Amino acid sequence: MSAGHRWDDHTADLALTVWGDDETQMLLEAAQAVLAEAFGPLEETEALARSPLRVDVSALDPADRLVRWINEVLYHAMVEGRRAVSASLRLADPGALEGELQTVPIPEGTVVHEIKAASYHEVSVTADPARVQGHVVLDV
Amino acid sequence: MTAGFERVDDYRWRIPRRGGMRVDGLIVASEAMIRDIARDKSPQQVENVAHLPGIVGHSLAMPDVHWGYGFPIGGVAAFDENDGVVSPGGVGYDINCGVRLLRTNLTREEITPRLPALSQALFDAIPCGVGSHAKATLTSRDLDDVLRDGARWAVRRGFGTNADLDVIEEGGRLGGADPGAVSDRAKKRGAPQLGSLGSGNHFCEVGAVQEVYDEAAAAAMGLSEGAVTLLIHSGSRGLGHQICDDALRVMMKASSKYSIALPDRQLCAAPLSSPEADAYFRQMACAVNFAFANRQVMTHYAREAFVEFFGRSLPQLGLQLVYDVCHNIAKYEEHEIDGKLRRVCVHRKGATRAFGPGHPHTPERYRDVGQPVLVPGDMGRYSFVLAGTQRAMSETFGSSCHGAGRKMSRTEAKRRAGDEPILQQLQGQGIWVRATSRRTVAEEMPYAYKDVAEVVEVVVAAGLARKVAKLVPLAVVKG
């Protein structure tokens, strides 16, 4: 099993279903899916200078953590112009997340789809022996 | 009875109280519309809102209702000031997303040959597009002034006149704003964006009055057949998004603290008397004011563009503001409920205030005809100007529809648009569209929306507004 995602139909917004072998992998996949939607596919980044960014998310539970994590990643991308390309995350119960993102600069004017935020509408994180799956609706 | 709905009359459908609902739901729609509405999750969202503490009357939905997050888009709910709640999900991320209409002395005939150049002039004048930035970044002090004073700040700085303020909801400034309560992140997002359109369904549209239905009301609004108009639709940009996100974090904990059961977490809320609600109002008012100022500054840019393009002065052009309404807001209002005047917190999420004739909050010039209600349609068909009614005051907390309402997801719209030459098709209809992104045009293609004429016919038949005029698009700027 590996990580993956799909975009589901939603009348006004965008709904994302995302999965991974564990919650950390699911969260990383969610971040990459959202960033690809907002800025387009990740081009070759080897030549770009990477800069580290510490993140510290406080959430009530895994579903809250999924929302807060996406909004954290979006903030740094939309406002600071820093796109996460990899991350080392540590999760703690019930919803904490801390870690370090490796980011590359986003060239001016490359936003292709403005995503306002991840919402709590129908948000869920479920786990079974095979995988952890999240569902979140993004306001666009 | 359509599944789950009880027919009240030809234009009202009741969702009977069940489970944890505290009041009935009520959807304003025709029979044809209710079948479509039943296909998405908006009726469930109407039900969910009815669970919130202190809700009075009905959990309401206008005929442009569609599936949103938390509240449905097109949802209206009022909460008792003593035992009710405020929910940021009932306002949304784009706080005070709204629309304003300007009228002109220009005629459709005289501008038609110049539409391609006019659309380009507006596109050049108004910053737009995803992540668009203003012409200048505000200083920290100026931003605080904007958050406190809204459109009044803009007018003080020369972006318009006091006459504009008379015809903006709340006079262009919602009281109670506290810039000190707004996060650094929100300010960082807002500072470079004042006076920018954004993307998605935001637009600036030159149009013309195609038909007048109510001569007296149209005359009061300065509208006549063939006259050129300008619509501007935008909101509080990144600042509002961040304020909503910040508030949700607090409200999630508050819902648990105050034992508020949530059928949908996006409805997280706090009692109106709580410090959490107080903090949200102080922040939300800042975003409301930012949006008022944003539309006011863009109006100034549009006026400058018109003056330069036509080589005439502003008085000659007669480019005057008719009205500016909020679509996404929560605020205290007094309404008569069960024969008693009560102060309630009205949430409008994708809905328009529609106060009737005689209401003290209706600008004096419209006191006899009712508040202008601006209902933009899609960029290929038409928009409407309505006027508020007394019946809206008694049934919907003085609220009406805000637009056409999406009927197709953005993904589906893009898929159907395919390689269709949408811009060329619109040009064939005499509509010139300038946009930063083909994707936006595809997502916003006319048939992604309900026919706004049907939406308007329903609110008029239901007695929630009166038709004043129909506008047709001629030149559209999209993000």
Side-chain angles (χ1 to χ4, degrees):
Chain A
M1 192 67 203
S2 59
H5 71 271
R6 68 167 187 271
W7 293 103
D8 301 318
D9 246 14
H10 183 286
T11 312
D13 301 303
L14 281 176
L16 173 68
T17 298
V18 58
W19 56 89
D21 289 341
D22 56 28
E23 190 181 346
T24 302
Q25 196 184 46
M26 182 273 289
L27 290 169
L28 292 172
E29 176 71 12
Q32 293 312 321
V34 169
L35 290 171
E37 179 66 19
F39 299 97
L42 193 59
E43 303 292 339
E44 184 54 58
T45 61
E46 288 305 313
L48 296 172
R50 295 186 177 211
S51 56
L53 180 70
R54 282 207 58 75
V55 289
D56 190 348
V57 169
S58 167
L60 301 174
D61 52 43
D64 188 20
R65 176 159 53 204
L66 174 60
V67 170
R68 300 252 62 86
W69 160 247
I70 292 174
N71 287 340
E72 187 72 13
V73 169
L74 270 177
Y75 173 82
H76 292 297
M78 290 286 187
V79 184
E80 313 270 4
R82 299 172 73 176
R83 179 173 182 163
V85 290
S86 64
S88 164
L89 304 180
R90 289 172 296 284
L91 311 186
D93 287 336
L97 174 155
E98 60 169 26
E100 190 171 276
L101 310 182
Q102 290 299 320
T103 67
V104 294
I106 299 170
E108 187 89 13
T110 55
V111 189
V112 294
H113 197 187
E114 190 163 42
I115 297 176
K116 294 174 190 167
S119 80
Y120 288 94
H121 176 55
E122 296 190 335
V123 63
S124 66
V125 172
T126 55
D128 62 32
R131 68 182 186 180
V132 174
Q133 180 165 301
H135 179 79
V136 65
V137 173
L138 308 171
D139 185 19
V140 294
Chain B
M1 178 168 157
T2 303
F5 305 112
E6 286 178 3
R7 183 187 202 120
V8 177
D9 61 25
D10 286 351
Y11 301 104
R12 289 170 181 79
W13 303 82
R14 194 167 76 95
I15 302 175
R17 187 174 159 180
R18 55 187 171 231
M21 292 170 70
R22 295 165 193 262
V23 296
D24 291 343
L26 188 73
I27 300 177
V28 180
S30 65
E31 186 160 11
M33 279 177 175
I34 201 77
R35 280 190 227 111
D36 285 339
I37 290 168
R39 289 196 194 107
D40 78 11
K41 295 189 180 179
S42 52
Q44 180 62 53
Q45 294 187 306
V46 172
E47 280 192 50
N48 291 345
V49 172
H51 286 69
L52 292 174
I55 187 169
V56 296
H58 296 94
S59 169
L60 295 157
M62 298 296 122
D64 50 338
V65 67
H66 55 283
W67 184 17
Y69 47 87
F71 272 52
I73 297 167
V76 177
F79 298 87
D80 182 81
E81 70 169 327
N82 296 314
D83 58 10
V85 295
V86 64
S87 171
V91 176
Y93 289 95
D94 196 359
I95 298 167
N96 189 11
C97 178
V99 65
R100 58 172 46 192
L101 171 69
L102 291 96
R103 49 84 61 203
T104 75
N105 294 334
L106 296 162
T107 64
R108 181 175 182 170
E109 287 68 30
E110 68 184 299
I111 74 160
T112 296
R114 304 182 68 187
L115 285 174
L118 179 60
S119 58
Q120 185 63 45
L122 278 174
F123 186 71
D124 293 340
I126 298 177
C128 57
V130 285
S132 51
H133 281 186
K135 295 181 179 179
T137 295
L138 291 169
T139 65
S140 166
R141 188 171 170 177
D142 277 346
L143 179 59
D144 281 0
D145 287 346
V146 167
L147 301 184
R148 198 178 293 110
D149 291 338
R152 293 186 196 183
W153 173 89
V155 167
R156 277 204 308 272
R157 292 300 182 94
F159 298 105
T161 67
N162 284 328
D164 294 335
L165 301 177
D166 293 341
V167 285
I168 302 176
E169 189 169 332
E170 298 294 330
R173 175 188 186 270
L174 186 63
D178 177 5
V182 174
S183 71
D184 289 343
R185 281 191 173 192
K187 288 180 178 178
K188 192 165 184 180
R189 293 180 89 153
Q193 292 188 324
L194 188 76
S196 64
L197 196 63
S199 62
N201 62 0
H202 294 162
F203 64 83
C204 173
E205 177 182 301
V206 177
V209 179
Q210 188 180 58
E211 193 172 357
V212 167
Y213 306 99
D214 182 327
E215 292 287 351
M221 297 177 196
L223 302 174
S224 56
E225 275 186 25
V228 169
T229 57
L230 183 71
L231 280 164
I232 298 176
H233 178 229
S234 187
S236 51
R237 311 285 281 110
L239 180 126
H241 310 166
Q242 188 66 46
I243 284 178
C244 179
D245 189 46
D246 293 342
L248 288 169
R249 203 176 315 189
V250 173
M251 293 296 184
M252 201 62 75
K253 289 179 183 162
S255 298
S256 170
K257 176 180 168 186
Y258 298 108
S259 303
I260 298 170
L262 298 175
D264 177 351
R265 295 178 83 171
Q266 188 71 16
L267 294 176
C268 58
L272 287 164
S273 56
S274 68
E276 291 88 349
D278 179 60
Y280 176 61
F281 274 113
R282 286 185 286 130
Q283 297 158 2
M284 183 199 64
C286 288
V288 168
N289 291 338
F290 185 91
F292 280 141
N294 191 36
R295 294 195 288 275
Q296 186 66 35
V297 171
M298 283 188 284
T299 298
H300 176 76
Y301 294 153
R303 281 171 166 157
E304 283 185 330
F306 268 66
V307 165
E308 188 177 336
F309 186 82
F310 291 104
R312 298 182 207 171
S313 68
L314 263 186
Q316 286 172 326
L317 288 167
L319 197 47
Q320 294 159 349
L321 185 59
V322 174
Y323 203 63
D324 178 306
V325 287
C326 316
H327 289 163
N328 293 346
I329 198 164
K331 59 185 178 176
Y332 282 104
E333 292 173 0
E334 285 190 334
H335 289 279
E336 194 174 306
I337 299 159
D338 299 329
K340 282 172 59 181
L341 199 62
R342 286 169 68 177
R343 190 165 178 262
V344 290
C345 178
V346 181
H347 293 57
R348 295 189 181 94
K349 168 83 176 295
T352 299
R353 195 180 80 170
F355 283 179
H359 195 285
H361 289 176
T362 300
E364 203 171 324
R365 79 171 77 155
Y366 305 131
R367 204 64 62 77
D368 292 339
V369 297
Q371 178 212 301
V373 177
L374 313 174
V375 189
D378 57 76
M379 61 183 166
R381 284 180 276 190
Y382 26 67
S383 299
F384 287 86
V385 181
L386 314 179
T389 63
Q390 204 49 48
R391 189 155 182 190
M393 299 308 298
S394 58
E395 283 195 13
T396 58
F397 306 103
S399 309
S400 186
C401 61
H402 85 310
R406 288 193 80 88
K407 69 174 183 186
M408 198 182 286
S409 73
R410 293 172 200 273
T411 313
E412 176 68 6
K414 271 188 301 180
R415 192 186 63 75
R416 290 217 194 166
D419 294 325
E420 253 186 74
I422 302 168
L423 296 182
Q424 287 81 349
Q425 288 168 1
L426 288 167
Q427 274 176 31
Q429 298 173 47
I431 303 163
W432 293 81
V433 178
R434 292 288 288 118
T436 55
S437 143
R438 177 179 155 74
R439 177 187 182 134
T440 301
V441 173
E443 288 181 357
E444 294 290 307
M445 62 187 279
Y447 296 101
Y449 285 88
K450 300 177 193 178
D451 182 345
V452 73
E454 292 174 16
V455 171
V456 163
E457 289 307 325
V458 169
V459 294
V460 170
L464 303 180
R466 299 188 336 273
K467 274 203 290 192
V468 175
K470 181 183 187 180
L471 315 177
V472 289
L474 300 173
V476 184
V477 171
K478 297 284 294 180

